Amino acid sequence: MKTQEYTPLFDESEMQTVKMHISKYPKPMAAVMPLLWMIQEKYGWISVDAMRYVGDLLSIPHDHVLGVATFYSMYFKKPMGKFHLQICTNVSCMLCDGYKIFNHISDKLGIKNKEITPDGMFSIEEVECLGSCATAPMLQINNKEFHENLTIEKTDELLAKLRNSN
Amino acid sequence: MEKIILKDIPDLDKIDVYISNGGYSALKKVLTGMKPDEVIAEVKNSGLRGRGGACFSTGMKWSFMPKGNEKPKFLCCNGDESEPGSFKDREIFEKNPHQFIEGSLIAAYAMGIQAVYVYIRGEYWKWINIMEECVADAYKKGLIGKNILGSDFSVEMYVHKGAGAYICGEESSLMNSLEGKRGYPRVKPPFPASVGVWGNPTTINNIETLANISEIINKGSEWFSKIGDPKHPGTLLYGVSGHVNKPGVYELPTGTPLMTIINDYCGGIKDGKDFKMIIPGGSSMPPLTKEESLTMKMDAESLKAVGSAIGTAGIIVMDEDTDIVHVLQRITKFYYHESCGQCTPCREGCGWMLKVLDRIMDGTGRHSDLDLLISVAENIEGNTICALGDAAAWPVKWTIRKFRKEFEAKIKDENIELPVLNKVHGLRKSDEYVSIDTNENILVESLIGKVQEITVDENLKRYSS
Ligand SMILES: Cc1cc2nc3c(=O)[nH]c(=O)nc-3n(C[C@H](O)[C@H](O)[C@H](O)COP(=O)(O)O)c2cc1C
Ligand code: SF4
Ligand code: FES
């Protein structure tokens, strides 16, 4: 496959990590998920160009990478807010007022599901069960920290803290 | 009651603490004194059944793996844990990760595995980090890698991070995902033991299943087989959520009465209320009514007897004020969202069921909708590549069957269109639920979609309640 003309998205030391990921599996294609994660970690989201880049690194077709990136909901195909709030509304959270938390955040930030605030600080998403049902309601930030046993007060404090951390 | 997995030992997640409490001695025992077949026989005799939902005999599953070494063999540890109401494997990653690692190493020895992949859902960021550290620690101690503990057994172990797809918990989807493809389930047969990941023999086991192995080796299959229900022995990590005072994960023997779990361990229903419905094993399992729950024992056979199943032992409790229709709508929305889209019945059927439930919630539902939902569910069930179709169909079918009044109460429409269909198709099952408006004229949507006005004839009125 012909390598395209573009500036590499990974530096030397990141290329070592790429090699490490490829070495974990019998076939290079299997490293596509870890590599997409690396892109998202570094750039916050995964552009179509980045998908092409990953395809070239692994010598697999670009459209295969596109197919994978679009199948999995945690890969962001467009830029998200600096703080992407993933609020669970599945059954157990719903029973414990998960929708109340979602609607409160949505009203407070003035954005709907999958929208971003004009200043780019926050985006929100209604997500499925995150395996935190006993500590419902809950949310996750940027695919990372869980914030559990939420109340309206705790949610407000969290939003204020995030805003001030800027 | 003695616990097998969630032992009350502080810092058991640290490898040194685990070792000083007898950890990795079972691995040593099999490497120095047991043949692979003996290990499989021991696990088979213990009666251990898979904790990932299907309850299949673990020893039996291992014995399906080919014996020779012509092709590399793989073990996939299923930590995708995405079934709503399930959060038990996360507890193992956090509280006793090395017991799971030890179990998977023993499994690897028993089946002649070359590499173990631990597939963890991408949302479990914290627990993925924990597991990567634990695996690295075990490598450092010579417990994973080449010539483990000086034996001639070698195996590698890798953690693979998912990226948000419930379907990847289904074993063949997990394998495709691991190969770097979209997580589409595969048609079976061939089964994973013959054609698995990268076309090689593969076994897929749940995290909790593997976490039981070392104690079976240490204490013997007979000891294990005597815990809990004889047909489904051992303990389960019951994850209780919803309207209880103390939700959480409780490790108790199989066959523990549901009411014991809810009242004695979870402190009863919140705000002193009564309860209406309990889902016993994650959101796809048929729900239990209050009457069924009062005498229910939590094991595979007891739940099977009432048409439900133990699933992941994720217990979701709903109090007397819960809107059951809303619950079913939310559950259906989940399966609609997570359907991979390969099979028409699942892809379209989930969407139809959600649409109909949406309109019942809106107050624009029709009486015929309840039978329609059951009919769609029954046409998904058994007609798909993987069991997600069934997982979506069961809650719809059984919640409506068991809680029909809740649904009827949401349907205001008394002007039903069944009479016309009856003229064409004769009497339908649903007629016993039909109540016809006393108005002489009702609006009916004809089969070709036009709205026409007809007069209810006297014959039809006899169906009215
Ligand atoms: C839609 C779907 C999702 C599943 N999700 C999981 C899961 O998250 N974790 C799991 O262990 N098994 C899950 N399973 C069951 C697996 O296919 C498989 O039966 C199980 O991992 C085998 O392990 P066991 O024999 O140790 O139970 C799922 C099955 C289906 C149909
Ligand atoms: S049943 Fe649903 S999830 Fe399973 S393969 Fe078919 S479409 Fe995909
Ligand atoms: S339902 Fe929200 S974390 Fe499980």
Side-chain angles (χ1 to χ4, degrees):
Chain A
M1 197 172 301
K2 237 173 93 194
T3 308
Q4 293 200 335
E5 292 292 321
Y6 39 45
T7 35
L9 299 176
F10 292 140
D11 62 24
E12 267 313 303
S13 86
E14 283 157 349
M15 283 309 289
Q16 293 307 313
T17 315
V18 168
K19 282 185 192 141
M20 182 275 289
H21 282 307
I22 294 174
S23 74
K24 295 193 302 194
Y25 310 94
K27 299 218 170 116
M29 182 190 275
V32 66
M33 288 181 72
L35 262 54
L36 288 173
W37 272 121
M38 282 178 71
I39 295 273
Q40 182 155 310
E41 280 292 304
K42 184 166 177 185
Y43 298 97
W45 65 293
I46 304 169
S47 66
V48 173
D49 277 345
M51 294 174 202
R52 291 199 184 103
Y53 176 72
V54 168
D56 288 349
L57 285 180
L58 299 173
S59 301
I60 56 174
H62 297 159
D63 53 358
H64 180 90
V65 184
L66 182 90
V68 171
T70 50
F71 186 83
Y72 299 93
S73 61
M74 292 176 80
Y75 292 135
F76 301 147
K77 274 73 71 178
K78 58 175 193 187
M80 296 292 174
K82 185 173 172 215
F83 301 109
H84 183 56
L85 309 179
Q86 298 148 307
I87 306 137
C88 175
T89 59
N90 211 307
V91 204
S92 302
C93 284
M94 180 181 117
L95 294 172
C96 301
D97 284 338
Y99 274 106
K100 206 161 114 189
I101 301 293
F102 181 86
N103 293 334
H104 178 75
I105 297 178
S106 169
D107 290 347
K108 193 152 179 173
L109 299 176
I111 48 174
K112 293 202 200 67
N113 190 23
K114 296 193 178 161
E115 288 180 355
I116 310 179
T117 51
D119 61 1
M121 271 285 269
F122 293 103
S123 50
I124 59 170
E125 187 182 355
E126 181 183 350
V127 296
E128 300 298 352
C129 176
L130 294 176
S132 235
C133 323
T135 43
M138 60 83 63
L139 62 78
Q140 182 171 29
I141 302 181
N142 296 343
N143 291 334
K144 291 196 173 136
E145 296 90 8
F146 280 15
H147 294 265
E148 301 167 284
N149 291 314
L150 292 174
T151 57
I152 297 288
E153 295 73 45
K154 274 171 94 173
T155 310
D156 284 341
E157 277 166 33
L158 177 67
L159 290 179
K161 205 180 93 197
L162 293 175
R163 196 170 265 130
N164 294 334
S165 74
N166 207 24
Chain B
M1 159 58 215
E2 192 188 357
K3 291 174 180 168
I4 301 176
I5 300 172
L6 301 180
K7 298 168 182 163
D8 301 310
I9 302 172
D11 295 326
L12 194 57
D13 58 317
K14 308 276 180 300
I15 192 162
D16 292 326
V17 179
Y18 181 69
I19 291 174
S20 64
N21 281 282
Y24 289 106
S25 58
L27 178 65
K28 199 177 267 169
K29 184 171 168 186
V30 301
L31 290 181
T32 52
M34 285 175 88
K35 292 203 186 73
D37 278 346
E38 288 170 355
V39 178
I40 296 182
E42 191 72 2
V43 173
K44 211 186 225 168
N45 292 340
S46 74
L48 174 66
R49 294 166 71 174
R51 305 297 198 231
C55 272
F56 193 79
S57 156
T58 305
M60 190 89 86
K61 191 185 254 189
W62 291 7
S63 70
F64 294 156
M65 289 289 273
K67 301 285 169 227
N69 275 333
E70 301 88 58
K71 276 182 155 188
K73 291 180 266 185
F74 297 101
L75 172 66
C76 300
C77 309
N78 195 340
D80 194 55
E81 185 154 81
S82 311
E83 169 95 343
S86 315
F87 42 96
K88 64 184 178 74
D89 296 336
R90 161 185 162 176
E91 204 76 1
I92 300 175
F93 294 141
E94 189 161 327
K95 305 265 167 67
N96 201 354
H98 285 287
Q99 190 165 316
F100 150 68
I101 294 178
E102 184 176 7
S104 43
L105 293 170
I106 295 169
Y109 172 73
M111 291 180 278
I113 299 289
Q114 190 188 50
V116 178
Y117 291 94
V118 186
Y119 190 109
I120 307 181
R121 65 178 301 186
E123 292 88 343
Y124 277 5
W125 168 77
K126 178 176 158 193
W127 298 275
I128 291 169
N129 290 346
I130 291 177
M131 284 316 295
E132 278 180 337
E133 240 172 74
C134 290
V135 170
D137 288 346
Y139 262 106
K140 275 185 223 140
K141 298 246 184 229
L143 297 161
I144 313 177
K146 296 263 167 305
N147 301 102
I148 296 172
L149 297 172
S151 70
D152 54 10
F153 173 63
S154 305
V155 68
E156 303 296 329
M157 187 180 283
Y158 308 103
V159 176
H160 185 91
K161 179 179 182 178
Y166 163 68
I167 191 58
C168 290
E170 196 279 337
E171 55 185 22
S172 60
S173 162
L174 184 148
M175 294 191 294
N176 274 345
S177 179
L178 194 58
E179 288 182 14
K181 299 174 181 159
R182 305 185 125 214
Y184 285 141
R186 301 175 181 173
V187 179
K188 283 174 264 184
F191 290 97
S194 44
V195 184
V197 69
W198 296 291
N200 297 309
T202 305
T203 290
I204 299 99
N205 273 133
N206 172 258
I207 303 297
E208 184 186 344
T209 310
L210 292 164
N212 275 298
I213 302 297
S214 60
E215 289 291 64
I216 292 175
I217 297 298
N218 279 330
K219 297 184 178 159
S221 54
E222 202 182 321
W223 161 81
F224 188 85
S225 67
K226 293 209 170 104
I227 301 169
D229 182 74
K231 288 197 174 131
H232 183 205
T235 59
L236 289 176
L237 306 190
Y238 298 99
V240 192
S241 63
H243 296 139
V244 290
N245 283 315
K246 285 188 284 172
V249 176
Y250 299 91
E251 180 176 3
L252 295 164
T254 55
T256 304
L258 180 51
M259 285 302 115
T260 305
I261 300 175
I262 290 177
N263 292 325
D264 300 358
Y265 290 89
C266 300
I269 311 294
K270 255 188 210 164
D271 304 325
K273 287 191 193 171
D274 200 354
F275 69 95
K276 193 192 272 181
M277 176 166 117
I278 297 180
I279 298 176
S283 66
S284 62
M285 295 305 148
L288 303 176
T289 60
K290 186 183 164 191
E291 287 65 40
E292 287 167 332
S293 306
L294 290 175
T295 53
M296 185 50 58
K297 283 189 182 163
M298 291 298 288
D299 61 78
E301 302 303 322
S302 309
L303 280 157
K304 207 163 125 191
V306 298
S308 189
I310 190 76
T312 58
I315 302 170
I316 309 174
V317 182
M318 285 155 253
D319 71 20
E320 53 189 323
D321 296 327
T322 307
D323 182 346
I324 300 296
V325 184
H326 196 194
V327 168
L328 185 63
Q329 181 204 30
R330 187 66 188 83
I331 290 177
T332 305
K333 187 176 165 201
F334 170 75
Y335 291 106
Y336 172 62
H337 183 253
E338 300 298 332
S339 166
C340 84
Q342 278 193 110
C343 327
T344 315
C346 171
R347 182 188 64 234
E348 303 298 324
C350 289
W352 294 344
M353 293 194 300
L354 178 60
K355 234 179 180 171
V356 174
L357 284 163
D358 281 349
R359 73 177 177 228
I360 296 177
M361 276 303 286
D362 287 354
T364 55
R366 308 164 198 163
H367 271 282
S368 56
D369 281 349
L370 301 186
D371 285 340
L372 178 63
L373 281 168
I374 291 179
S375 142
V376 174
E378 284 182 338
N379 279 297
I380 298 174
E381 204 181 330
N383 292 324
T384 54
I385 295 175
C386 87
L388 187 140
D390 304 335
W394 289 335
V396 170
K397 183 166 125 184
W398 289 102
T399 311
I400 296 177
R401 287 217 173 132
K402 292 187 177 179
F403 296 87
R404 191 157 188 134
K405 286 210 163 60
E406 300 269 338
F407 290 83
E408 287 175 335
K410 278 240 191 301
I411 298 173
K412 297 191 190 79
D413 157 43
E414 296 294 292
N415 299 332
I416 40 134
E417 61 205 77
L418 275 173
V420 166
L421 291 178
N422 283 345
K423 274 184 181 169
V424 181
H425 298 292
L427 190 70
R428 289 164 36 124
K429 257 197 306 195
S430 56
D431 284 1
E432 54 191 283
Y433 302 103
V434 165
S435 62
I436 296 179
D437 194 67
T438 42
N439 293 335
E440 285 298 294
N441 297 314
I442 59 173
L443 279 179
V444 179
E445 246 176 274
S446 77
L447 291 174
I448 48 166
K450 280 191 194 146
V451 175
Q452 48 179 229
E453 230 176 354
I454 63 149
T455 309
V456 179
D457 72 42
E458 285 305 313
N459 269 345
L460 290 168
K461 279 196 178 161
R462 63 194 159 89
Y463 300 132
S464 52
S465 48

